Amino acid sequence: MKIVKSPLFARKNLLFAFYIAFITPFAVANDINDLSFFNTEIPIVLSATRLAQPQTEAPATITIIDRQLIKLSGAKAIPELFRLVPGFHVAHFRGNEPVVAYQGLSGEFPQGVQVLIDGRSVYSPLFGGVDWSNLPIMMEDIERIEVIRGPNGSSFGSNAFQAVINITTSHAVQTNDFQVKSTLGERGYQRTLLTGSHSFGDIDVRLSASHIDDNGYANNDDDSRHDSLTGRLDYQITHLDSLQLNFGIINTLRETHTPGTLLDPFDPPRNTDD
């Protein structure tokens, strides 16, 4: 029996083979190029050795939280950002006092995590920890956060026994002239932010003011109110030298009471003004 193949059938097979051999590799290459992981350059970090170096060459494990990730996170406060970092524990003591700890070593005032804002330590020597509810900085002013997941006492001292959080704020000239932001959330959460900046020749100034009201959790005495005014001044002295000044004024009113001790005369519901 003789099988006769038509020219049309042979032409279709030839076209199909051409598509598999030449078109498919280009399509796969385009899909790979669309993945940002392969197109992103290796970021430069500063926190490991206080010197600029690629993240892959740093002698420490570093997690980077940039401005874009902060916007996409949906976090309402700076401590909530560290839920994105492996090994970090974020909670609230008595409902309205944030606590950030590493590797489960937590408490009302967790120790061992060094926190710096623009190179200045905010680690309080009074109680040996960081007062996360009174950081002199707005979340919108953060340009980048580098988190060293591990001890780095050789670069940052004995307070960096567990980890280091290095927060860098944006330059004053990067802020638009005037911004107004209002946020509403559940449980009576309200936040209003005003930010303005201006340039005076070689001097750039930014001022930010915010007001926060939060009713906390239901049936808990954990209401809070937070008012803050922060600013940054950048002065370009020469093309090599610059001067940076930061300030912050913060007032926090918190309702505090230990749950389950309503009849305890030594721990009544009260307001603390920080």
Side-chain angles (χ1 to χ4, degrees):
M1 181 177 179
K2 184 177 181 181
I3 300 176
V4 180
K5 296 183 179 179
S6 64
L8 179 61
F9 179 78
R11 189 179 297 110
K12 289 183 177 180
N13 288 343
L14 181 61
L15 291 176
F16 180 74
F18 176 82
Y19 178 82
I20 294 297
F22 296 97
I23 305 300
T24 303
F26 289 104
V28 173
N30 290 333
D31 292 339
I32 293 178
N33 291 331
D34 290 339
L35 299 177
S36 61
F37 177 81
F38 295 96
N39 290 332
T40 304
E41 296 182 358
I42 298 176
I44 302 298
V45 295
L46 303 171
S47 301
T49 59
R50 294 180 180 266
L51 298 174
Q53 57 188 155
Q55 185 179 12
T56 55
E57 299 179 7
T61 304
I62 301 179
T63 298
I64 300 175
I65 304 175
D66 57 11
R67 180 188 288 266
Q68 182 180 7
L69 184 57
I70 293 175
K71 291 181 179 179
L72 297 176
S73 67
K76 297 187 297 183
I78 295 177
E80 296 180 8
L81 295 173
F82 301 102
R83 299 183 189 272
L84 305 173
V85 183
F88 268 78
H89 173 74
V90 180
H92 288 81
F93 184 78
R94 294 184 176 179
N96 54 17
E97 186 176 342
V99 174
V100 178
Y102 185 59
Q103 296 291 10
L105 300 179
S106 184
E108 183 177 2
F109 302 110
Q111 303 177 4
V113 178
Q114 176 68 284
V115 180
L116 301 99
I117 299 178
D118 290 331
R120 180 181 62 86
S121 175
V122 294
Y123 197 95
S124 175
L126 297 178
F127 54 84
V130 177
D131 188 1
W132 287 98
S133 60
N134 291 317
L135 289 182
I137 183 178
M138 305 290 182
M139 188 164 57
E140 288 77 8
D141 296 336
I142 297 177
E143 180 67 24
R144 179 188 180 97
I145 301 176
E146 294 182 6
V147 182
I148 299 178
R149 307 197 318 265
N152 198 339
S154 59
S155 298
F156 299 96
S158 59
N159 293 336
F161 175 71
Q162 294 178 281
V164 179
I165 298 175
N166 189 12
I167 302 175
T168 304
T169 61
S170 59
H171 196 280
V173 77
Q174 294 179 249
T175 307
N176 295 330
D177 290 340
F178 187 73
Q179 298 179 9
V180 179
K181 180 180 179 181
S182 180
T183 306
L184 299 177
E186 59 182 353
R187 297 192 295 268
Y189 178 83
Q190 301 178 9
R191 181 175 186 257
T192 303
L193 172 68
L194 302 175
T195 301
S197 65
H198 192 73
S199 297
F200 304 92
D202 294 333
I203 300 177
D204 301 299
V205 181
R206 179 182 64 228
L207 293 176
S208 301
S210 72
H211 173 79
I212 301 175
D213 282 319
D214 193 347
N215 293 338
Y217 294 97
N219 303 321
N220 280 358
D221 300 307
D222 56 358
D223 296 2
S224 63
R225 187 189 68 200
H226 185 88
D227 298 300
S228 60
L229 174 65
T230 63
R232 169 170 171 164
L233 183 146
D234 293 282
Y235 175 39
Q236 192 67 36
I237 303 174
T238 66
H239 67 285
L240 295 177
D241 302 320
S242 62
L243 175 66
Q244 175 184 334
L245 298 177
N246 298 72
F247 78 90
I249 302 173
I250 300 173
N251 181 50
T252 303
L253 182 64
R254 290 199 301 259
E255 186 180 21
T256 179
H257 174 62
T258 303
T261 60
L262 186 61
L263 301 179
D264 188 353
F266 298 101
D267 189 19
R270 60 195 181 276
N271 291 325
T272 60
D273 194 349
D274 298 335

